[in-house]
Amino acid sequence: MLNFGVEQLSKGDEDSALQSLRNAVALGEPFGPAHTNLGIVLLQRNQPEEALKHFDLAAEQGYATAGFYFQRGEAYSRLRKFAQAYDSYGESLKRPAESAEAEELTHQRHAKAAAASGHPEEAIKEYQALIQKRPDKDLYGIELALAYLGQKKVVEAMALLDPIIARRPSALAYYARAVAQYVKGDKPASEKDIRQALMAEPNNPLFKNLQGLLQSESKTPH
């Protein structure tokens, strides 16, 4: 049942995979892999709390692969439990990765969780290492800029964001620069950039929150 479930999951058949993996658990097949894959299905269905229950059961059985810790980190991140996510991604990085791509992704997630959980210096170092390996990856530059902004380092952030927007403008890059302009105190420039971001992604809640903040402050008497 476990093998059937894993195969069905790889083919994107979540309903069948869920049933097969539940059967595998009921039949007492290797609990670690069964609970981990069941957690992955639930995570893909946006049920991170339920997924974590199965990841915890897998951990109780001594299951501790890089992929397991990565998936548990993903569940914690969905729940905005960034300190736990940071620890889980860190555990993943201590173990042999399934591929170079998986290791790179884990470093990116670890850096993002570091920035969100009060470890900005570590986040900055990890993003810098990622950029050295993949200078073509604009996402790393944007997230590094946001990590800098967490420390009010506007000059460093703008030095990254201006060239990225010049060569490959994106909604996230405009948002990050809007944040930089806001931190700098240049609200007109911030408003201009957040409008650009919202043109591309009008329903993005993060972008709308910043626009709402700017609008509320523009109405507040000084």
Side-chain angles (χ1 to χ4, degrees), residues 26-185:
L27 291 169
E29 294 190 30
F31 274 12
H35 279 294
T36 297
N37 282 283
L38 192 48
I40 291 170
V41 176
L42 291 166
L43 190 56
Q44 290 179 353
R45 291 186 160 207
N46 200 28
Q47 298 177 46
E49 289 183 354
E50 289 301 311
L52 273 175
K53 292 177 184 177
H54 289 281
F55 293 145
D56 288 344
L57 288 168
E60 288 175 9
Q61 298 297 317
Y63 199 63
T65 65
F68 161 75
Y69 280 111
F70 175 83
Q71 294 294 341
R72 193 162 74 166
E74 294 287 272
Y76 280 129
S77 291
R78 295 269 187 94
L79 294 169
R80 303 188 66 79
K81 295 182 177 181
F82 296 115
Q84 294 95 322
Y86 169 77
D87 289 340
S88 197
Y89 292 131
E91 288 298 322
S92 178
L93 290 168
K94 294 176 183 177
R95 291 159 172 80
E98 296 174 1
S99 66
E101 291 79 8
E103 185 175 16
E104 181 181 327
L105 180 59
T106 306
H107 274 293
Q108 184 260 337
R109 294 288 205 271
H110 188 242
K112 194 170 184 177
S117 62
H119 303 279
E121 290 296 340
E122 183 163 349
I124 288 167
K125 289 178 183 177
E126 199 155 13
Y127 280 127
Q128 288 171 336
L130 283 165
I131 289 168
Q132 281 190 335
K133 292 181 180 178
R134 292 291 307 276
D136 59 310
K137 197 97 171 187
D138 288 344
L139 176 63
Y140 299 157
I142 295 167
E143 291 186 346
L144 173 56
L146 289 168
Y148 277 135
L149 290 171
Q151 294 191 310
K152 311 295 184 186
K153 294 181 177 179
V154 177
V155 173
E156 292 87 341
M158 293 293 284
L160 289 161
L161 295 169
D162 283 342
I164 288 173
I165 289 173
R167 67 175 178 263
R168 269 191 300 269
S170 67
L172 185 61
Y174 276 118
Y175 164 77
R177 194 168 70 176
V179 174
Q181 300 287 15
Y182 178 80
V183 173
K184 184 181 177 182

Side-chain angles (χ1 to χ4, degrees), residues 171-203:
L172 185 61
Y174 276 118
Y175 164 77
R177 194 168 70 176
V179 174
Q181 300 287 15
Y182 178 80
V183 173
K184 184 181 177 182
D186 190 344
K187 291 181 183 177
S190 183
E191 289 170 350
K192 182 179 177 181
D193 275 340
I194 202 60
R195 283 197 298 270
Q196 290 289 335
L198 282 164
M199 283 176 63
E201 297 182 22
N203 296 317

